[in-house]
Amino acid sequence: MYTELSDARLQLAFPRTMRDSANMQSVSVLIPLALPGPYDYAVPDDMMLARGDFVRVPLGPRQVNGVVWGPGAGDVAPAKLKPVLARHRVPALRDPLMQFVDWVAAYVLAPPGLVLRQVMRVPAAFEPEKPVFGYRPTGTPPQRMTPARQRVLDVLKDTPPLPGPDLARLAGVSGSVIKGLHEAGSLAKTELATTGSERGPDPQMVGVALSPAQQEVAIALGTAVAAQTFGVHLLDGVTGSGKTEVYFEAISEALKKQRPALILLPEISLTAQFLARFERRFGSPPALWHSGLTPAERRRTWRAVAENRVQVLVGARSGLFLPWSDLGVIIVDEEHDGGFKQEDGVVYNARDMAIVRAQLTNCPVVLSSATPSLETFVNARQGRYKAHRLAARHGAAELPDIELVDMRTSPPQRGTWLVPQIGTAIEAAIERGEQALLFLNRRGYAPLTICRACGHRYACPNCDAWMVEHRFRRQLECHHCGHARPVPESCDACDAPDQLVACGPGVERIMEEVAARFPEARTAILSSDHMGGVAGIRETINQIAEGGADIIIGTQIVAKGHHFPKLSFVGVVDADLGLGNGDLRAAERTYQMLSQVAGRSGRETTGGRALLQTRMPDHAVRQALVSGGRDAFLEREAAAREQAGMPPYGRLGAIIVSATDQQEGLRFVQELARKTPSHDALRVLGPAPAPIARIRDRYRFRFLLKGTRQAPMQAFISQWLGGVQRRGSVRISVDIDPYTFL
Ligand code: ADP
Ligand code: ZN
């Protein structure tokens, strides 16, 4: 993390107070669009405005919402300005959030209006409220009862009426189950009170009895929250050590101080288990913020945050941009997770920005992980972050034994992908009434399809990428642009019928092998291709947790903090996947992913175990996994990065240029290359075609900037890009602290 606010390059000047608002004849208004900065508007005589107020203003022929950012710049006479049309009846944005918007914009080099758009994503928030309907049980059982229907009715047993989406989420069912129950006469619609009726989380409820080690960390975090000052805390505990229970205590402390708590999770839509746990601890569920909410839910939650009625919110990265008037603590759970990096639009890392947000608000931030990112690890070691350790699993549970299988000396049988040892371990788990998980981070059936007759390989027409076979859907699909076509019956190139062969395995292919080998076993597949979408994934996760599957096959979705009590064996089909791509963080990421996956086993069973199929058994990542030498591994990684001047010891930035016309793109990057400024602390590498040189029919080129920690990366890039004129189909995107190098 190199985003400390003390960093002088990014010290921004803010108008802390505005002159007596009655005297203001003009204001500058920031509009949530990609404009260069705020625009001035005249203040009508009968209007009083202050910094942070939400207003409606004319923009060309349109009317738009914006925020008063300060007094007018004054370079145009107020009489010549268009007037502010209205002030919205919404609490004004607070200074820390406005400073945050400016800070993020300056850091990621985005127009401030685009960053403000993250705050104002809910246009309905400014309109009068519409009635909200919920469901209550009628007492009439449906003619046909299913487990899903039963869960819905069970949820309603001890809650007030709930809106359909909330009900579906809590019960882990899809909306159609609720509709079915309504049609069957078992649920009735009823209007809900929209504000103020929510029972909040209760800090007086007591949690589990913490172990002495947990207690010590809980007290340290609680003290930090009570002190109401900024600080970064690393909660570093092995999988299953009770990190969640411990940070619940920090939240409880914030509640006692009546300051809200924000929990950021990387995969918020899949967190039914987490929510149930929260509710057990605090007696009521937290507010939620993620892309799966309905517009009505978004409006309700946004307003509730603005009006300071939300005590705890669990959210995706954009939760940072909610109109908090105050914050007591920010928790970033699974802080190492790449999902915190937003890759399109405003490109930012929510983990890093959470720290900035906490500093501006003056509250502690807790980064929680069993496998901290190298950045965080180094910051903790250097004392910038306070580290708290939980070295053992809770209670009698032990960390799984991790072993390697060398595929070079003991390969799977011809035409199969799993070594005999994995088959035996699955068998044993099933016999004990436990579950086995097979992990392969590759969607679909096979990553490549070839014609046996002529060697033709099926590639995407729009991208530099192979088409991936999805056998359940009988399609070839491109994972970059979504292009899909039916699996052809004869070869595109040579017309030979029935000659296509699938190369390599994806999860569907592993599923096929498992089904053939264990025909009696109940299997479940977990990947983002789930037929039922997010609701379906959630349903499958619930089923697995309740013991409804014997063998689970999954992509990275299974590595995300789930608690499957009966899971005792994990087989990793290809532990080398991702190590070969030359990415700066390849080793670190592989380590994180594999130890998280392995950490799903043995959480409540005795003797959890993981077997990793590999062709590189001597790689440092393997040794760290097998011998539990995480810190030694991270130290070595850190030393290598320091030597190479790579993050966190140096800084990286990337500029990606794309164009629909290859020549146009090429000419533009050549011009950029000619106009590269020079600076002692910064080196520019490239231009080079991006590793995926074409996506969605756009040709892509990359510059990589590498600098010392002190290098003025932002100023350098601004000056550079400011000196060229973007033309035609050319698009430029800037990525500060890049995580992907594609
Ligand atoms: P982590 O977040 O570190 O993976 P969790 O907080 O999920 O760990 O804890 C793992 C399991 O152990 C959970 O089921 C949790 O409820 C249980 N657990 C942790 N600490 C305690 C405790 N002190 N008393 C009872 N159960 C605990
Ligand atoms: Zn494509």
Side-chain angles (χ1 to χ4, degrees):
M1 234 297 289
Y2 11 88
T3 52
E4 302 107 82
L5 280 175
S6 52
D7 191 326
R9 283 169 288 121
L10 285 166
Q11 283 291 335
L12 301 170
F14 299 107
R16 292 248 161 224
T17 52
M18 282 174 59
R19 287 167 292 136
D20 179 10
S21 47
N23 291 337
M24 270 199 313
Q25 295 184 321
S26 70
V27 284
S28 79
V29 173
L30 189 60
I31 295 164
L33 294 171
L35 303 167
Y39 289 163
D40 278 9
Y41 288 89
V43 182
D45 289 343
D46 56 352
M47 206 184 280
M48 297 265 280
L49 290 176
R51 176 168 152 85
D53 280 342
F54 286 94
V55 290
R56 193 151 187 84
V57 293
L59 182 73
R62 291 191 291 163
Q63 294 188 4
V64 294
N65 295 323
V67 175
V68 175
W69 221 246
D75 38 14
V76 180
K80 293 204 172 147
L81 292 170
K82 289 189 182 161
V84 173
L85 301 170
R87 185 173 78 83
H88 290 294
R89 296 178 161 278
V90 179
L93 280 191
R94 301 299 174 95
D95 244 13
L97 180 50
M98 299 176 73
Q99 293 173 25
F100 184 59
V101 167
D102 280 330
W103 201 95
V104 172
Y107 189 80
V108 306
L109 292 174
L114 273 193
V115 181
L116 180 65
R117 194 158 81 178
Q118 311 285 315
V119 177
M120 295 178 64
R121 275 277 169 79
V122 192
F126 305 110
E127 283 150 27
E129 199 133 22
K130 292 198 196 85
V132 178
F133 292 94
Y135 288 99
R136 63 173 173 79
T138 57
T140 315
Q143 276 193 343
R144 196 174 54 84
M145 183 62 88
T146 62
R149 288 180 160 192
Q150 188 61 54
R151 281 208 299 279
V152 172
L153 297 175
D154 286 349
V155 166
L156 285 174
K157 258 187 208 144
D158 38 31
T159 56
L162 286 169
D166 290 355
L167 184 53
R169 189 174 50 238
L170 284 172
V173 303
S174 61
S176 60
V177 176
I178 312 248
K179 239 169 100 191
L181 279 169
H182 184 228
E183 278 157 15
S186 307
L187 293 179
K189 273 193 178 178
T190 167
E191 190 175 334
L192 302 178
T194 44
T195 49
S197 64
E198 304 119 31
R199 179 168 52 101
D202 179 0
Q204 302 305 339
M205 282 182 66
V206 259
V208 295
L210 297 180
S211 70
Q214 291 174 334
Q215 185 74 30
E216 198 182 314
V217 181
I219 289 174
L221 295 181
T223 310
V225 172
Q228 307 195 7
T229 52
F230 170 70
V232 188
H233 298 264
L234 167 60
L235 178 48
D236 174 5
V238 298
T239 53
S241 58
K243 295 184 291 297
T244 315
E245 302 293 346
V246 167
Y247 73 63
F248 277 174
E249 297 311 303
I251 290 169
S252 171
E253 191 59 40
L255 289 175
K256 286 179 194 156
K257 295 274 174 216
Q258 301 188 329
R259 299 183 82 191
L262 168 62
I263 308 171
L264 297 182
L265 297 181
E267 206 91 21
I268 174 80
S269 49
L270 308 179
T271 48
Q273 276 185 318
F274 178 89
L275 299 180
R277 221 169 131 186
F278 184 94
E279 194 162 347
R280 275 201 300 280
R281 171 67 181 81
F282 291 107
S284 78
L288 287 179
W289 190 253
H290 59 81
S291 57
L293 298 183
T294 63
E297 290 172 307
R298 293 177 81 74
R299 180 190 190 282
R300 213 172 355 132
T301 306
W302 195 95
R303 286 294 289 235
V305 171
E307 289 160 15
N308 206 7
R309 288 184 284 112
V310 167
Q311 291 168 285
V312 183
L313 181 135
V314 177
R317 34 187 196 222
S318 57
L320 284 175
F321 291 96
L322 280 168
W324 300 103
S325 53
D326 188 20
L327 277 168
V329 64
I330 303 178
I331 315 272
V332 183
D333 202 352
E334 312 287 357
E335 69 87 30
H336 62 275
D337 198 292
F340 285 121
K341 184 76 194 277
Q342 171 149 315
E343 298 285 0
D344 37 44
V346 178
V347 181
Y348 69 95
N349 187 327
R351 190 259 327 267
D352 295 350
M353 294 308 126
I355 294 169
V356 175
R357 186 83 175 84
Q359 187 166 5
L360 288 167
T361 309
N362 206 19
C363 74
V365 52
V366 178
L367 310 180
S368 175
S369 177
T371 52
S373 63
L374 192 72
E375 275 89 350
T376 299
F377 177 79
V378 169
N379 273 316
R381 197 189 50 184
Q382 293 175 345
R384 263 197 293 259
Y385 300 173
K386 177 104 186 64
H388 310 273
R389 275 237 158 151
L390 294 172
R393 278 196 163 173
H394 165 69
E398 299 209 7
L399 281 173
D401 277 327
I402 304 181
E403 296 154 51
L404 303 175
V405 182
D406 186 343
M407 303 269 281
R408 296 167 309 181
T409 51
S410 48
Q413 272 180 8
R414 244 187 104 75
T416 70
W417 308 98
L418 303 173
V419 297
Q421 293 94 312
I422 286 192
T424 315
I426 295 177
E427 227 157 71
I430 296 179
E431 229 152 69
R432 290 192 303 268
E434 295 168 353
Q435 293 171 320
L437 165 70
L438 292 172
F439 172 74
L440 175 62
N441 197 17
R442 208 191 259 143
R443 294 163 48 203
Y445 185 83
L448 174 64
T449 300
I450 298 189
C451 170
R452 204 179 335 219
C454 73
H456 178 67
R457 298 167 165 225
Y458 282 76
C460 175
N462 315 317
C463 308
D464 248 8
W466 303 125
M467 298 289 280
V468 177
E469 181 180 354
H470 284 252
R471 199 157 278 193
F472 294 164
R473 290 201 287 262
R474 298 161 181 271
Q475 296 201 121
L476 298 179
E477 297 179 12
C478 170
H479 287 178
H480 296 281
C481 72
H483 175 76
R485 57 179 289 189
V487 177
E489 281 169 12
S490 57
C491 174
D492 281 3
C494 73
D495 228 16
D498 301 323
Q499 291 295 315
L500 299 188
V501 277
C503 299
V507 277
E508 291 180 3
R509 198 166 200 176
I510 300 301
M511 176 72 144
E512 187 180 77
E513 183 172 338
V514 165
R517 186 126 176 225
F518 302 96
E520 312 281 288
R522 296 165 305 162
T523 53
I525 195 161
L526 258 185
S527 83
S528 54
D529 296 305
H530 201 292
M531 300 285 189
V534 172
I537 295 176
R538 233 181 273 145
E539 221 166 311
T540 302
I541 291 173
N542 281 346
Q543 276 168 16
I544 298 170
E546 286 163 14
D550 305 310
I551 307 173
I552 303 123
I553 298 134
T555 60
Q556 47 87 24
I557 287 187
V558 300
K560 306 270 174 177
H562 309 296
H563 187 71
F564 299 140
K566 291 193 140 184
L567 184 69
S568 66
F569 172 73
V570 170
V572 175
V573 179
D574 184 350
D576 306 333
L577 206 63
L579 267 184
N581 66 8
D583 183 323
L584 163 71
R585 294 182 178 82
E588 179 192 345
R589 277 209 191 123
T590 303
Y591 176 80
Q592 287 160 348
M593 175 93 79
L594 295 182
S595 61
Q596 293 286 350
V597 172
R600 294 315 105 204
S601 81
R603 289 166 76 90
E604 285 191 25
T605 61
T606 48
R609 200 172 154 225
L611 267 180
L612 275 47
Q613 300 191 156
T614 174
R615 286 170 203 286
M616 298 190 256
D618 301 325
H619 195 289
V621 169
R622 316 277 164 250
Q623 295 314 318
L625 284 163
V626 172
S627 62
R630 186 198 79 180
D631 285 8
F633 165 70
L634 287 175
E635 290 293 352
R636 267 200 310 278
E637 277 289 300
R641 298 246 192 115
E642 186 165 18
Q643 184 103 52
M646 284 294 189
Y649 299 94
R651 315 183 65 203
L652 292 180
I655 295 175
I656 299 106
V657 172
S658 71
T660 51
D661 181 289
Q662 191 172 14
Q663 287 309 314
E664 190 173 50
L666 197 57
R667 275 195 304 274
F668 186 78
V669 292
Q670 284 164 347
E671 183 189 344
L672 262 183
R674 272 197 310 278
K675 295 189 172 163
T676 310
S678 74
H679 194 284
D680 289 347
L682 271 163
R683 267 175 61 208
V684 176
L685 309 169
I692 302 178
R694 191 171 50 114
I695 295 183
R696 290 175 198 274
D697 254 336
R698 299 187 68 84
Y699 293 85
R700 305 167 72 246
F701 307 86
R702 286 185 69 104
F703 290 92
L704 186 66
L705 287 82
K706 184 164 173 271
T708 62
R709 276 182 62 109
Q710 285 72 36
M713 182 78 75
Q714 282 84 354
F716 183 90
I717 295 176
S718 303
Q719 188 202 338
W720 187 12
L721 296 183
V724 285
Q725 189 65 37
R726 200 189 56 78
R727 278 184 308 269
S729 67
V730 168
R731 275 191 224 147
I732 308 169
S733 78
V734 175
D735 187 354
I736 301 289
D737 312 331
Y739 269 64
T740 51
F741 297 84
L742 299 176

